[in-house]
Amino acid sequence: YYKLKNMGEYRRPHYNLMLSRLSERRKCIFVLAGPRQVGKSTVMAQIAETIDKVVFQFNADSVNEEDSDWIRRSWESVRSRMNIQHLQEAVLVIDEIQKIRRWSEYVKREWDADTLNHVNLKVVLLGSSRLLLRKGLTESLAGRFELIRMGHWTFPEMKAAFGLSLQQWIYFGGYPGSVDYIGDFRRWRKYVKDSLVAPAIEKDVLLTSNIYKPSLMSQLFEVGCSYSGELLSLTKMLGQLQDAGNVTTLSSYLEILKQANLLCGLQKFACDEARKRQSIPKFSVFNNALLTAYRGKGFDKDYVDPMIWGRWVESAVGTCLLDFVEDNDCHLYYWRDHNNEVDYILESQGDVVAIEVKSGKRGMNSGIPMFQEKFHPLKSIVVGTDGIPFEEFFCMDIMQLFG
């Protein structure tokens, strides 16, 4: 079970995508955005080893956030080296760019100067905070960038790179850096919390906006991860949290966690926006490692409990669907009417697909028939027992559900 193969030279699909983009003529800034520890820097390092262009790489993670001139100095040093080496073309990569205050203003200034002076310097910006990136891109760099999203590792990727089984991916999720520790659950959980979650919360979430109650944010995250795949009203959640707050505060913090690709609260499917916003959220992590880190008792214990494993499976389906909607401008909901519910409702350009997860550990309810009668979805499918096998579902192109 714990025997894993070495990642070796595995390359995510984004490697070929970025190679293709960098082969084009200089026309825009490429922004490779995604959560921490998904391989953004690794992809660019792999490209630097194979591309027929000189790649200059900088990292802003350890730079003082007030030192906005660092961008100009770094950029100017690349221009100088291009002149010294007589380079007609080069690539500049800046990692964690969003950490620098007013970064977009300085990037715009240097990019426009290169355009004016015909300097063929192609630029790739890497960032893990979509909120900070989005703000800078829309304010200063409108029309000058292409955003390329890089999400969490999928089951096919973790299987190809490390030989993970379906059950391993469902339980331990898709963080490549944690794979070496899955044989020691306590060490694995400590690594996820200390090396993955803590930096994401401290450097990406708390920097995105004014978080007046950081401890409340942290508690919300931990409780939300523990309830992945389940409904929990924010009002009831307040009773479990030690720091004082209100539902509005929790709702705004949950939206920030969503933008960081960590945790979201799915709304109930309805025909009007008001009912969606007023609904009880169904919590869903973006990576099942987060559910396991905050609720797991160890694979050997959780896998043999039918009810518990069914919760992990449903959460894993949610992570797969969340990854799809992030890339395809779709929407993901759940539906419930009294005791009848549908696990996930996928909406794309007015077409609706109802998805019920059946792990074989629980029976079907009457949610699908009731939803069909009320909303007439394009399709209603079962994932798991008597439906699309889990391994097939996690490997498929979700857009096929709308075909």
Side-chain angles (χ1 to χ4, degrees):
Y1 168 78
Y2 292 120
K3 187 177 181 181
L4 301 170
K5 68 180 183 181
N6 196 310
M7 178 178 173
E9 287 300 314
Y10 180 82
R11 291 166 176 168
R12 298 199 71 182
H14 306 80
Y15 170 83
N16 288 326
L17 177 61
M18 291 305 301
L19 269 183
S20 174
R21 293 295 191 272
L22 291 172
S23 68
E24 300 171 352
R25 66 178 179 83
R26 180 185 182 275
K27 54 186 175 182
C28 68
I29 299 169
F30 300 113
V31 181
L32 188 58
R36 288 177 177 268
Q37 300 297 315
V38 298
K40 300 184 297 296
S41 302
T42 300
V43 163
M44 295 312 303
Q46 290 172 335
I47 287 176
E49 293 177 353
T50 57
I51 200 171
D52 60 351
K53 303 174 180 64
V54 177
V55 179
F56 299 95
Q57 296 180 283
F58 297 84
N59 194 319
D61 208 19
S62 59
V63 179
N64 188 316
E65 63 183 29
E66 300 294 342
D67 187 10
S68 300
D69 191 57
W70 175 85
I71 296 174
R72 182 197 61 79
R73 298 196 305 271
S74 301
W75 209 299
E76 189 58 47
S77 72
V78 171
R79 292 193 189 108
S80 298
R81 293 166 72 181
M82 287 181 68
N83 289 331
I84 293 171
Q85 299 178 38
H86 305 289
L87 300 176
Q88 298 299 314
E89 180 181 351
V91 178
L92 167 62
V93 179
I94 303 180
D95 204 348
E96 296 300 335
I97 185 68
Q98 82 283 343
K99 185 178 182 293
I100 306 296
R101 292 189 184 277
R102 299 170 56 201
W103 66 269
S104 58
E105 298 176 24
Y106 284 82
V107 168
K108 176 180 179 294
R109 183 182 306 170
E110 301 307 316
W111 174 264
D112 289 350
D114 283 349
T115 302
L116 181 63
N117 297 316
H118 306 289
V119 178
N120 193 14
L121 179 60
K122 297 176 180 179
V123 178
V124 181
L125 306 179
L126 311 182
S128 53
S129 173
R130 287 194 305 161
L131 276 178
L132 286 176
L133 279 174
R134 182 177 299 172
K135 183 178 180 181
L137 294 174
T138 55
E139 287 181 353
S140 301
L141 295 175
R144 294 176 173 83
F145 73 93
E146 178 182 354
L147 182 61
I148 300 171
R149 178 183 168 273
M150 195 168 182
H152 292 283
W153 285 52
T154 63
F155 166 60
E157 290 181 295
M158 293 297 284
K159 180 180 180 181
F162 303 103
L164 258 66
S165 67
L166 177 62
Q167 291 74 23
Q168 286 175 312
W169 178 77
I170 288 174
Y171 196 72
F172 294 103
Y175 283 120
S178 71
V179 170
D180 289 337
Y181 308 116
I182 68 174
D184 184 339
F185 183 68
R186 290 186 178 181
R187 187 180 179 187
W188 176 89
R189 182 165 54 190
K190 187 175 187 303
Y191 173 83
V192 171
K193 289 183 176 181
D194 295 347
S195 299
L196 302 178
V197 173
I201 296 292
E202 294 169 6
K203 295 186 178 181
D204 298 335
V205 174
L206 297 182
L207 286 176
T208 56
S209 57
N210 294 322
I211 305 297
Y212 297 105
K213 296 179 178 293
S215 61
L216 182 63
M217 164 73 84
S218 297
Q219 292 176 60
L220 167 65
F221 175 72
E222 293 179 14
V223 173
C225 289
S226 299
Y227 278 87
S228 184
E230 301 180 62
L231 275 68
L232 178 64
S233 73
L234 297 181
T235 302
K236 289 185 177 179
M237 179 178 280
L238 283 174
Q240 300 185 32
L241 305 180
Q242 298 177 354
D243 201 352
N246 56 51
V247 170
T248 302
T249 302
L250 288 183
S251 182
S252 65
Y253 287 178
L254 188 57
E255 178 60 27
I256 293 173
L257 289 169
K258 175 183 177 182
Q259 295 299 328
N261 287 102
L262 293 172
L263 174 73
C264 77
L266 300 179
Q267 297 176 333
K268 176 182 175 181
F269 181 82
C271 293
D272 62 272
E273 291 297 323
R275 289 187 179 182
K276 292 178 182 178
R277 289 194 295 269
Q278 295 171 3
S279 62
I280 297 174
K282 177 176 182 174
F283 286 91
S284 181
V285 291
F286 280 79
N287 189 319
N288 247 27
L290 301 176
L291 167 62
T292 304
Y294 289 97
R295 191 163 183 166
K297 298 178 181 178
F299 179 84
D300 293 337
K301 294 181 180 179
D302 293 329
Y303 181 67
V304 297
D305 187 309
M307 294 300 295
I308 290 178
W309 186 248
R311 183 179 300 124
W312 252 262
V313 170
E314 182 175 337
S315 177
V317 171
T319 66
C320 185
L321 294 172
L322 280 173
D323 186 68
F324 170 75
V325 300
E326 287 280 300
D327 267 341
N328 293 277
D329 194 26
C330 301
H331 302 282
L332 185 62
Y333 307 96
Y334 74 93
W335 182 78
R336 186 175 189 179
D337 186 1
H338 296 92
N339 292 327
N340 301 300
E341 64 178 293
V342 180
D343 293 323
Y344 298 105
I345 307 297
L346 195 58
E347 183 181 35
S348 175
Q349 298 180 346
D351 290 329
V352 174
V353 174
I355 302 172
E356 181 71 15
V357 182
K358 188 179 179 184
S359 65
K361 316 296 185 182
R362 59 174 184 164
M364 289 284 288
N365 59 46
S366 57
I368 286 283
M370 288 189 64
F371 186 84
Q372 288 176 320
E373 182 178 350
K374 191 169 184 177
F375 296 102
H376 308 290
L378 177 68
K379 286 182 182 178
S380 297
I381 68 168
V382 174
V383 177
T385 308
D386 301 325
I388 301 175
F390 287 116
E391 186 155 354
E392 180 179 330
F393 176 80
F394 290 127
C395 294
M396 73 182 294
D397 177 3
I398 304 298
M399 187 57 75
Q400 294 176 350
L401 298 178
F402 293 94

